[in-house]
Amino acid sequence: RRTPYEYVLGVRLEKPGDKSKFTQHDSDNDGLWTSMYGAAECFAYAASKDPQAKERANKAMRAIKFLSEVTQGGEHPAPYGFPARTILPIDGRNPNDHDDRENDLRTKERDPLWKAIEPRWPVSADGKWYWKTDTSSDELDGHYFFYGIYYDLVAETDEEKATIREVVARVTDHLIEHNFQLVDHDGKPTRWGRFTPDELNRDLKFSTGLRGLNSLSMLSYLKVAAHVTGDEKYQQAYEMLINDEQYAANALVAKRQMGLGTGNQSDDEMAFMAYYGL
């Protein structure tokens, strides 16, 4: 578990099998792994009523909640509700020394869809954290998977229910207000946070690979939001995407298989979490 918020991910061992010495690191998927860990602790609490499982689930929720708070304010604020991929303490290494514009441009030469953004790691308004941009659809799949399970199985007090409603509403409102896209501090969508009908249904550059899975994901996000908050506007957005933009039909083919060796198992993982929300 990394930082006081205890983001959950793997560590590097100095020697295989020897856990006495290890090195922590951040990843693009801190929010995803922490959400999946938190969901597991929700199931553990529902099955056992073990207070330690509930405390772990609550810690994971506080960590995920913070990702959509740390992005607000500072020199490069993101639009309200935008969740970061991860955070690093300001007193450690400056990740922008590596993730700089020159590195971005070199990567974009190899990968035309790569999102070049500067800084990739803005500093939080309180000056305590670097937060990472270009948040992905798999991060959101994990967040919403956790949101719904936490609300159903762990949130028992009025405070816990209010907390989960607050974070779900602000992230979902961000998506709706930006035409079903995750919009970063540069005012442009992230590379994979694209769920808008304009692209999934009408732009061949994105629709070929993203249409099925991202349609499924967005329907799941809206269904979770409607369930957790009770706000009818999320159900209305859900029905609009189905009736006017064929998202339910898109989701029938949530994953395209192009032959042996082309499968991406992370897409399977994302789809299973989205199915759970539906």
Side-chain angles (χ1 to χ4, degrees):
R1 297 182 181 89
R2 191 180 59 77
T3 82
Y5 289 95
E6 299 192 358
Y7 294 98
V8 176
L9 69 164
V11 297
R12 295 189 179 96
L13 301 181
E14 192 171 289
K15 297 179 180 178
D18 180 0
K19 293 185 286 184
S20 64
K21 293 183 180 180
F22 63 87
T23 304
Q24 289 184 320
H25 61 95
D26 64 280
S27 85
D28 280 356
N29 296 117
D30 284 17
L32 173 60
W33 306 148
T34 304
S35 294
M36 296 173 77
Y37 169 85
E41 292 297 341
C42 292
F43 287 128
Y45 178 66
S48 67
K49 296 303 176 184
D50 181 349
Q52 189 174 42
K54 178 168 184 174
E55 178 55 25
R56 289 171 176 161
N58 281 334
K59 280 186 176 181
M61 181 50 64
R62 287 194 289 271
I64 298 305
K65 179 174 179 284
F66 185 65
L67 292 178
S68 57
E69 296 170 343
V70 71
T71 61
Q72 302 304 292
E75 189 175 348
H76 302 280
Y80 182 74
F82 180 88
R85 281 184 175 273
T86 186
I87 59 172
L88 283 172
I90 202 73
D91 57 2
R93 64 179 177 85
N94 184 344
N96 291 302
D97 291 342
H98 175 265
D99 290 334
D100 58 11
R101 182 165 180 77
E102 289 185 6
N103 185 56
D104 259 358
L105 294 177
R106 285 194 299 269
T107 304
K108 196 169 182 64
E109 288 179 3
R110 302 190 304 269
D111 182 355
L113 293 181
W114 177 259
K115 179 181 170 100
I117 183 170
E118 188 178 19
R120 188 161 293 274
W121 293 83
V123 176
S124 61
D126 62 8
K128 294 181 178 179
W129 303 102
Y130 296 106
W131 59 269
K132 194 167 191 180
T133 57
D134 200 23
T135 304
S136 179
S137 55
D138 55 347
E139 293 291 287
L140 283 188
D141 286 343
H143 292 192
Y144 279 88
F145 177 59
F146 183 27
Y147 293 156
I149 293 169
Y150 178 87
Y151 180 78
D152 284 345
L153 304 182
V154 174
E156 296 166 314
T157 68
D158 290 342
E159 181 181 1
E160 289 164 349
K161 291 177 180 178
T163 294
I164 183 61
R165 287 173 182 146
E166 174 193 341
V167 65
V168 169
R170 71 168 169 242
V171 176
T172 314
D173 287 349
H174 172 98
L175 292 166
I176 293 175
E177 289 167 9
H178 293 90
N179 194 22
F180 305 102
Q181 298 178 108
L182 266 182
V183 173
D184 221 318
H185 73 74
D186 62 353
K188 300 176 183 178
T190 67
R191 175 175 182 171
W192 299 113
R194 298 169 178 269
F195 311 92
T196 174
D198 294 338
E199 290 183 344
L200 296 189
N201 286 341
R202 294 179 279 278
D203 186 336
L204 290 178
K205 182 169 65 174
F206 296 102
S207 64
T208 303
L210 298 182
R211 176 184 291 162
L213 188 56
N214 280 25
S215 295
L216 172 66
S217 293
M218 180 49 63
L219 291 180
S220 183
Y221 304 162
L222 293 168
K223 182 60 78 173
V224 168
H227 174 66
V228 170
T229 69
D231 194 324
E232 184 64 22
K233 70 180 179 182
Y234 302 120
Q235 180 66 23
Q236 291 172 355
Y238 172 87
E239 292 175 0
M240 181 277 291
L241 291 178
I242 290 175
N243 295 329
D244 299 345
E245 297 290 355
Q246 71 184 41
Y247 271 41
N250 292 348
L252 289 174
V253 186
K255 179 180 176 181
R256 294 185 57 163
Q257 175 57 267
M258 306 299 286
L260 289 175
T262 64
N264 184 343
Q265 291 180 339
S266 71
D267 287 352
D268 296 334
E269 173 185 87
M270 293 161 66
F272 279 123
M273 290 190 292
Y275 286 137
Y276 200 96
L278 290 180

